[in-house]
């Protein structure tokens, strides 16, 4: 967890307080002006869709810096991509695209293994599948939406992650939000990590089960919550819970931290709780053969009851999967609305995942998959260590391709983003509500497609902008040659 320095917390709170005060003042004067204006355009008898306070954050804070978000691109999200230039004539309330683009170093995409751009093995096969199967099945899986590609992918995914069976879905977010309510309902208990993704949060809320939260990545607190809940039972009746599911992530997308999976599984086994592992950011990105945190941390996949992952990151496609026992997968096929009512994955997207998996497994006849996995590990650890040496506060663990740089102050969010863009480096900044209000950050995502020159360019720009904006919260390490010269003088 981030320990916010007292002075930083004070200045950040003061900045937000100032923005809030001036925003409220502007809203007050707007109401006075609107009162004097003709209200003929108002719909009489209708309640306003959004009250003033409900969208206050969007109007008074987000719109001021919205040029830092949702930037359109005009190329594949490779190591370098083309960012579309935009301008505003009304103080950022509306943004207009231009026909101009800027080639920028891409440090924000989830293209962990570099499959998002053209690939010598994947791309020809995807184009061939487009010709053969079209761009969409125009059907749900249980009608005419299951092709031989879908069946092949599910068998390949199950073999890859070490589970008996798998089921694929057309959207990664829906894989969590639609699956969790099918697995557990009223009378059940979900114990969720406090920093789990919004898709897990919405899935848990929609299930009807009771939800309890344990401190982020803290197995001992998980055990306390489990012991307490098993002792008390269901509210009011105190009957035993019908089932208990503990939900964690492999790599936490806003923190870059690896899950303490071995310890969590030990606790779950002790109290007979099921484990649900979201590997959206870890599958294909960590582990010697890319099989995720189970491989990296030495966990037997058989000890994880439900394994979830997405194809939107390491595999350069879209959709997600659930891997579990044959009985669970068969049950989901008959009950999950995302399988029964949603259009199936686009066949070319399915082929992209199949081809990427074959490259990773070496079934394409080359060693490119192993090279990509080694490259992303080297790139991630090099970039993280260099950022830390410069004095940035960097979250996350080694081997994780996700590395947030803490910004904190709201004024530093647009300043850091805009200054990096001016120097042709595209950075993703993240603020409330995706993170706690005081913990704004820039999230770096490293790819196997980045060369060492690319990384050095990014580090040079980030270091300059970090000095300019003032986000180097720790003293920088002296360069090695200075240390050697100092020793010689002694």
């Amino acid at each position: 967890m981030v320990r916010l320095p007292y002075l930083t917390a004070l200045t950040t709170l003061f900045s937000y307080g100032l923005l809030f005060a001036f925003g409220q003042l502007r809203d007050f004067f707007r109401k006075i002006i609107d009162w004097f204006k003709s209200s003929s355009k108002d719909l009489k008898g209708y309640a306003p869709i959004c009250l003033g306070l409900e969208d206050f954050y969007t109007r008074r804070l987000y719109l001021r810096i919205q040029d830092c978000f949702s930037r359109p691109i005009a190329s594949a999200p490779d190591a370098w991509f083309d960012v579309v230039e935009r301008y505003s004539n009304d103080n950022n309330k509306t943004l207009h695209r231009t026909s101009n683009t800027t080639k920028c170093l891409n440090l924000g995409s989830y293209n962990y293994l570099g499959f998002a751009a053209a690939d010598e093995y994947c791309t020809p096969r995807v184009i061939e599948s487009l010709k053969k199967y079209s761009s969409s099945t125009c059907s749900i899986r249980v009608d005419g939406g299951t092709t031989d590609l879908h069946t092949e992918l599910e068998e390949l995914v199950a073999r890859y992650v070490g589970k008996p069976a798998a089921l694929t879905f057309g959207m990664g977010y829906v894989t969590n939000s639609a699956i969790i309510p099918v697995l557990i309902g009223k009378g059940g208990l979900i114990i969720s990590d406090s920093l789990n993704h919004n898709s897990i949060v919405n899935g848990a809320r929609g299930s009807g089960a009771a939800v309890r939260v344990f401190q982020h990545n803290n197995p001992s607190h998980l055990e306390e919550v489990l012991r307490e809940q098993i002792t008390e039972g269901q509210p009011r009746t105190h009957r035993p819970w019908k089932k208990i599911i503990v939900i964690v992530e492999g790599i936490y997308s806003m923190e870059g931290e690896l899950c303490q999976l071995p310890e969590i599984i030990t606790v779950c086994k002790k109290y007979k709780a099921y484990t649900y592992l979201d590997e959206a950011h870890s599958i294909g990105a960590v582990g010697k053969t890319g099989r995720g945190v189970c491989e990296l941390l030495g966990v037997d996949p058989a000890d994880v009851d439900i394994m979830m992952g997405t194809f939107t990151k390491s595999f350069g496609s879209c959709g997600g999967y659930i891997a579990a026992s044959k009985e669970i997968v068969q049950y989901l096929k008959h009950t999950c609305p995302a399988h029964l009512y949603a259009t199936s994955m686009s066949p070319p997207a399915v082929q992209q995942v199949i081809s990427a998996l074959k490259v990773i497994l070496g079934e394409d006849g080359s060693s490119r998959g192993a090279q990509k996995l080694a490259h992303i590990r080297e790139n991630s650890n090099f970039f993280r260590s260099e950022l830390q040496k410069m004095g940035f506060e960097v979250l996350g663990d080694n081997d994780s391709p996700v590395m947030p740089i803490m910004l904190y102050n709201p004024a530093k969010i647009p300043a850091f983003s805009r200054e990096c863009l001016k120097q042709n480096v595209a950075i993703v900044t993240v603020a409330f509500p995706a993170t706690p209000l005081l913990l704004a950050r820039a999230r770096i995502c490293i790819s196997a497609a980045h060369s060492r020159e690319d990384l050095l360019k990014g580090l040079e720009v980030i270091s300059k902008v970090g000095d300019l904006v003032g986000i180097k919260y720790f003293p920088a390490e002296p360069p090695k040659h200075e240390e050697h010269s100092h020793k010689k003088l002694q």
Side-chain angles (χ1 to χ4, degrees), residues 204-216:
R205 287 173 178 171
S207 68
V211 181
R212 299 293 181 270
V213 174
F214 70 96
Q215 293 171 6
H216 172 58

Side-chain angles (χ1 to χ4, degrees), residues 121 161 248 380 399:
Y121 183 83
V161 302
V248 294
S380 300
D399 288 355

Side-chain angles (χ1 to χ4, degrees), residues 379-429:
N379 283 354
S380 300
N381 292 338
F382 168 74
F383 206 84
R384 182 185 302 279
S385 65
E386 291 300 309
L387 287 174
Q388 290 171 339
K389 289 175 185 176
M390 291 175 182
F392 292 103
E393 184 174 0
V394 185
L395 305 186
D397 298 314
N398 283 337
D399 288 355
S400 170
V402 181
M403 48 199 76
I405 300 174
M406 298 308 298
L407 302 177
Y408 298 119
N409 196 286
K412 295 180 180 182
I413 301 169
F416 185 75
S417 178
R418 290 166 183 164
E419 289 300 322
C420 284
L421 189 65
K422 285 180 184 178
Q423 300 189 49
N424 298 340
V425 174
I427 298 286
V428 170
T429 51

Side-chain angles (χ1 to χ4, degrees), residues 136-174:
S136 174
T137 62
C138 298
S139 180
I140 59 175
R141 286 291 303 272
V142 295
D143 289 345
T146 300
T147 67
D148 54 347
L149 290 177
H150 291 83
T151 304
E152 181 184 356
L153 175 59
E154 288 170 349
E155 291 173 355
L156 188 57
V157 166
R159 175 162 63 91
Y160 182 64
V161 302
K163 279 293 186 181
L167 184 62
T168 59
F169 303 89
M171 183 180 177
Y173 186 97
V174 166

Side-chain angles (χ1 to χ4, degrees), residues 71-378:
R71 287 174 176 149
I73 64 172
S75 64
D78 204 358
W80 289 78
F81 60 3
D82 298 326
V83 179
V84 177
E85 295 178 11
R86 297 181 293 177
Y87 69 93
S88 176
N89 294 324
D90 54 5
N91 298 317
N92 250 17
K93 289 182 181 177
T94 54
L95 294 170
H96 304 280
R97 293 196 302 272
T98 69
S99 57
N100 301 325
T101 61
T102 304
K103 192 173 185 64
C104 295
L105 177 63
N106 179 10
L107 293 180
S109 295
Y110 302 140
N111 181 27
Y112 296 141
L113 293 184
F115 283 117
D119 183 83
E120 61 188 71
Y121 183 83
C122 301
T123 305
R125 286 160 176 78
V126 171
I127 293 172
E128 189 60 34
S129 70
L130 178 62
K131 295 176 182 177
K132 182 178 179 180
Y133 296 95
S134 182
S135 58
S136 174
T137 62
C138 298
S139 180
I140 59 175
R141 286 291 303 272
V142 295
D143 289 345
T146 300
T147 67
D148 54 347
L149 290 177
H150 291 83
T151 304
E152 181 184 356
L153 175 59
E154 288 170 349
E155 291 173 355
L156 188 57
V157 166
R159 175 162 63 91
Y160 182 64
V161 302
K163 279 293 186 181
L167 184 62
T168 59
F169 303 89
M171 183 180 177
Y173 186 97
V174 166
T175 307
N176 275 329
S177 61
I179 282 291
I180 294 172
V182 177
L183 293 174
I184 192 169
K186 190 176 181 180
L189 173 65
I190 294 172
I191 302 181
S192 178
D193 188 287
S194 62
L195 296 183
N196 273 342
H197 191 264
N198 182 262
S199 59
I200 295 173
V201 174
N202 282 342
R205 287 173 178 171
S207 68
V211 181
R212 299 293 181 270
V213 174
F214 70 96
Q215 293 171 6
H216 172 58
N217 228 3
N218 189 335
S220 60
H221 187 249
L222 168 63
E223 184 169 11
E224 289 178 22
V225 174
L226 269 168
R227 189 187 301 118
E228 178 186 346
Q229 292 302 316
I230 290 172
T231 303
E232 293 183 0
Q234 296 184 43
R236 294 188 299 275
T237 64
H238 301 291
R239 292 175 181 173
W241 297 104
K242 293 180 180 179
K243 72 177 81 166
I244 300 174
I245 298 180
V246 175
I247 305 180
V248 294
E249 295 186 40
I251 292 178
Y252 291 88
S253 59
M254 289 299 166
E255 289 71 35
E257 293 178 350
L258 296 168
C259 172
Q260 294 190 27
L261 191 59
E263 296 84 354
I264 287 172
I265 285 177
T266 300
V267 173
C268 290
K269 281 184 174 182
K270 181 178 178 181
Y271 293 92
K272 303 295 188 294
Y274 294 107
T275 51
Y276 182 112
L277 174 64
D278 177 338
E279 288 215 89
H281 287 268
S282 54
I283 191 67
V286 297
K288 186 177 180 181
T289 60
R291 286 176 165 86
V293 290
C294 286
E295 181 179 47
L296 182 67
L297 302 177
V299 173
D300 187 349
D303 291 334
V304 181
D305 299 290
I306 309 290
M307 299 181 74
M308 175 269 177
T310 63
F311 305 128
T312 56
K313 299 166 181 70
S314 297
F315 308 104
S317 186
C318 64
Y321 69 85
I322 289 289
S325 65
K326 290 182 179 179
E327 293 79 10
I328 290 175
V329 169
Q330 194 65 22
Y331 169 74
L332 293 176
K333 286 182 178 180
H334 290 90
T335 54
C336 181
H339 181 78
L340 295 171
Y341 305 116
T343 303
S344 62
M345 278 182 72
S346 170
V350 176
Q351 181 60 61
Q352 168 65 28
V353 183
I354 293 172
S355 302
L357 275 169
K358 288 185 176 179
V359 172
I360 294 170
L361 292 167
E363 295 178 8
D364 65 328
S366 75
S367 60
R368 288 197 307 123
Q371 291 170 6
K372 283 177 177 288
L373 289 164
H375 204 190
I376 188 175
R377 183 168 56 251
E378 292 167 5

